[in-house]
PDB file of all heavy atoms in Angstrom:
ATOM      1  N   ALA A  77       5.473  24.327 -16.352  1.00 97.00           N
ATOM      2  CA  ALA A  77       4.015  24.519 -16.323  1.00 97.00           C
ATOM      3  C   ALA A  77       3.368  24.191 -17.673  1.00 97.00           C
ATOM      4  O   ALA A  77       2.266  23.646 -17.723  1.00 97.00           O
ATOM      5  CB  ALA A  77       3.671  25.952 -15.906  1.00 97.00           C
ATOM      6  N   SER A  78       4.079  24.468 -18.765  1.00 97.00           N
ATOM      7  CA  SER A  78       3.514  24.215 -20.096  1.00 97.00           C
ATOM      8  C   SER A  78       3.356  22.719 -20.362  1.00 97.00           C
ATOM      9  O   SER A  78       2.636  22.322 -21.278  1.00 97.00           O
ATOM     10  CB  SER A  78       4.417  24.839 -21.162  1.00 97.00           C
ATOM     11  OG  SER A  78       5.689  24.210 -21.133  1.00 97.00           O
ATOM     12  N   ARG A  79       4.038  21.869 -19.581  1.00 97.00           N
ATOM     13  CA  ARG A  79       3.986  20.428 -19.801  1.00 97.00           C
ATOM     14  C   ARG A  79       2.992  19.727 -18.867  1.00 97.00           C
ATOM     15  O   ARG A  79       2.849  18.517 -18.916  1.00 97.00           O
ATOM     16  CB  ARG A  79       5.388  19.803 -19.581  1.00 97.00           C
ATOM     17  CG  ARG A  79       6.523  20.498 -20.300  1.00 97.00           C
ATOM     18  CD  ARG A  79       7.021  19.741 -21.517  1.00 97.00           C
ATOM     19  NE  ARG A  79       6.768  18.317 -21.507  1.00 97.00           N
ATOM     20  CZ  ARG A  79       7.692  17.384 -21.308  1.00 97.00           C
ATOM     21  NH1 ARG A  79       8.941  17.733 -21.067  1.00 97.00           N
ATOM     22  NH2 ARG A  79       7.381  16.108 -21.366  1.00 97.00           N
ATOM     23  N   VAL A  80       2.352  20.488 -17.968  1.00 98.00           N
ATOM     24  CA  VAL A  80       1.483  19.882 -16.950  1.00 98.00           C
ATOM     25  C   VAL A  80       0.064  20.443 -17.065  1.00 98.00           C
ATOM     26  O   VAL A  80      -0.121  21.655 -17.125  1.00 98.00           O
ATOM     27  CB  VAL A  80       2.040  20.159 -15.529  1.00 98.00           C
ATOM     28  CG1 VAL A  80       1.121  19.587 -14.457  1.00 98.00           C
ATOM     29  CG2 VAL A  80       3.459  19.602 -15.380  1.00 98.00           C
ATOM     30  N   THR A  81      -0.921  19.540 -17.121  1.00 98.00           N
ATOM     31  CA  THR A  81      -2.322  19.954 -17.103  1.00 98.00           C
ATOM     32  C   THR A  81      -2.757  20.106 -15.653  1.00 98.00           C
ATOM     33  O   THR A  81      -2.727  19.135 -14.893  1.00 98.00           O
ATOM     34  CB  THR A  81      -3.198  18.881 -17.785  1.00 98.00           C
ATOM     35  OG1 THR A  81      -2.698  18.653 -19.105  1.00 98.00           O
ATOM     36  CG2 THR A  81      -4.652  19.307 -17.836  1.00 98.00           C
ATOM     37  N   LEU A  82      -3.135  21.315 -15.274  1.00 97.00           N
ATOM     38  CA  LEU A  82      -3.511  21.558 -13.880  1.00 97.00           C
ATOM     39  C   LEU A  82      -5.020  21.494 -13.713  1.00 97.00           C
ATOM     40  O   LEU A  82      -5.759  22.109 -14.501  1.00 97.00           O
ATOM     41  CB  LEU A  82      -2.994  22.931 -13.435  1.00 97.00           C
ATOM     42  CG  LEU A  82      -1.470  23.011 -13.282  1.00 97.00           C
ATOM     43  CD1 LEU A  82      -1.012  24.463 -13.211  1.00 97.00           C
ATOM     44  CD2 LEU A  82      -1.016  22.242 -12.044  1.00 97.00           C
ATOM     45  N   VAL A  83      -5.470  20.746 -12.718  1.00 97.00           N
ATOM     46  CA  VAL A  83      -6.900  20.742 -12.383  1.00 97.00           C
ATOM     47  C   VAL A  83      -7.035  21.039 -10.895  1.00 97.00           C
ATOM     48  O   VAL A  83      -6.116  20.758 -10.112  1.00 97.00           O
ATOM     49  CB  VAL A  83      -7.583  19.386 -12.706  1.00 97.00           C
ATOM     50  CG1 VAL A  83      -7.457  19.053 -14.192  1.00 97.00           C
ATOM     51  CG2 VAL A  83      -7.006  18.256 -11.860  1.00 97.00           C
ATOM     52  N   ARG A  84      -8.165  21.620 -10.533  1.00 96.00           N
ATOM     53  CA  ARG A  84      -8.378  21.914  -9.121  1.00 96.00           C
ATOM     54  C   ARG A  84      -8.761  20.618  -8.395  1.00 96.00           C
ATOM     55  O   ARG A  84      -9.621  19.878  -8.869  1.00 96.00           O
ATOM     56  CB  ARG A  84      -9.483  22.971  -8.955  1.00 96.00           C
ATOM     57  CG  ARG A  84      -9.612  23.503  -7.526  1.00 96.00           C
ATOM     58  CD  ARG A  84     -10.694  24.569  -7.434  1.00 96.00           C
ATOM     59  NE  ARG A  84     -10.382  25.752  -8.209  1.00 96.00           N
ATOM     60  CZ  ARG A  84      -9.618  26.763  -7.774  1.00 96.00           C
ATOM     61  NH1 ARG A  84      -9.112  26.728  -6.559  1.00 96.00           N
ATOM     62  NH2 ARG A  84      -9.384  27.806  -8.543  1.00 96.00           N
ATOM     63  N   GLY A  85      -8.103  20.347  -7.283  1.00 94.00           N
ATOM     64  CA  GLY A  85      -8.366  19.136  -6.516  1.00 94.00           C
ATOM     65  C   GLY A  85      -9.626  19.262  -5.682  1.00 94.00           C
ATOM     66  O   GLY A  85     -10.292  20.298  -5.686  1.00 94.00           O
ATOM     67  N   GLY A  86      -9.959  18.190  -4.976  1.00 93.00           N
ATOM     68  CA  GLY A  86     -11.146  18.178  -4.131  1.00 93.00           C
ATOM     69  C   GLY A  86     -10.779  18.326  -2.665  1.00 93.00           C
ATOM     70  O   GLY A  86      -9.636  18.630  -2.335  1.00 93.00           O
ATOM     71  N   PRO A  87     -11.763  18.102  -1.773  1.00 91.00           N
ATOM     72  CA  PRO A  87     -11.518  18.302  -0.343  1.00 91.00           C
ATOM     73  C   PRO A  87     -10.513  17.308   0.262  1.00 91.00           C
ATOM     74  O   PRO A  87      -9.885  17.625   1.266  1.00 91.00           O
ATOM     75  CB  PRO A  87     -12.898  18.148   0.291  1.00 91.00           C
ATOM     76  CG  PRO A  87     -13.771  17.531  -0.750  1.00 91.00           C
ATOM     77  CD  PRO A  87     -13.181  17.846  -2.074  1.00 91.00           C
ATOM     78  N   ASP A  88     -10.345  16.131  -0.327  1.00 91.00           N
ATOM     79  CA  ASP A  88      -9.309  15.234   0.226  1.00 91.00           C
ATOM     80  C   ASP A  88      -8.578  14.499  -0.892  1.00 91.00           C
ATOM     81  O   ASP A  88      -8.829  14.722  -2.083  1.00 91.00           O
ATOM     82  CB  ASP A  88      -9.892  14.275   1.268  1.00 91.00           C
ATOM     83  CG  ASP A  88     -10.802  13.234   0.638  1.00 91.00           C
ATOM     84  OD1 ASP A  88     -10.845  13.130  -0.598  1.00 91.00           O
ATOM     85  OD2 ASP A  88     -11.473  12.520   1.404  1.00 91.00           O
ATOM     86  N   ARG A  89      -7.655  13.620  -0.511  1.00 94.00           N
ATOM     87  CA  ARG A  89      -6.800  12.980  -1.488  1.00 94.00           C
ATOM     88  C   ARG A  89      -7.588  12.170  -2.514  1.00 94.00           C
ATOM     89  O   ARG A  89      -7.321  12.206  -3.711  1.00 94.00           O
ATOM     90  CB  ARG A  89      -5.786  12.062  -0.776  1.00 94.00           C
ATOM     91  CG  ARG A  89      -4.743  11.504  -1.738  1.00 94.00           C
ATOM     92  CD  ARG A  89      -3.939  10.365  -1.172  1.00 94.00           C
ATOM     93  NE  ARG A  89      -2.990   9.919  -2.200  1.00 94.00           N
ATOM     94  CZ  ARG A  89      -3.332   9.227  -3.282  1.00 94.00           C
ATOM     95  NH1 ARG A  89      -4.586   8.868  -3.490  1.00 94.00           N
ATOM     96  NH2 ARG A  89      -2.412   8.883  -4.169  1.00 94.00           N
ATOM     97  N   GLN A  90      -8.575  11.416  -2.023  1.00 95.00           N
ATOM     98  CA  GLN A  90      -9.332  10.546  -2.931  1.00 95.00           C
ATOM     99  C   GLN A  90     -10.107  11.352  -3.973  1.00 95.00           C
ATOM    100  O   GLN A  90     -10.120  10.997  -5.163  1.00 95.00           O
ATOM    101  CB  GLN A  90     -10.282   9.664  -2.105  1.00 95.00           C
ATOM    102  CG  GLN A  90     -11.036   8.646  -2.951  1.00 95.00           C
ATOM    103  CD  GLN A  90     -11.770   7.640  -2.089  1.00 95.00           C
ATOM    104  OE1 GLN A  90     -11.307   7.297  -0.992  1.00 95.00           O
ATOM    105  NE2 GLN A  90     -12.903   7.164  -2.559  1.00 95.00           N
TER     106      GLN A  90
END
Side-chain angles (χ1 to χ4, degrees):
Chain A
S78 63
R79 311 255 336 253
V80 178
T81 304
L82 290 165
V83 300
R84 189 179 296 276
D88 70 10
R89 188 194 179 287
Q90 185 170 328

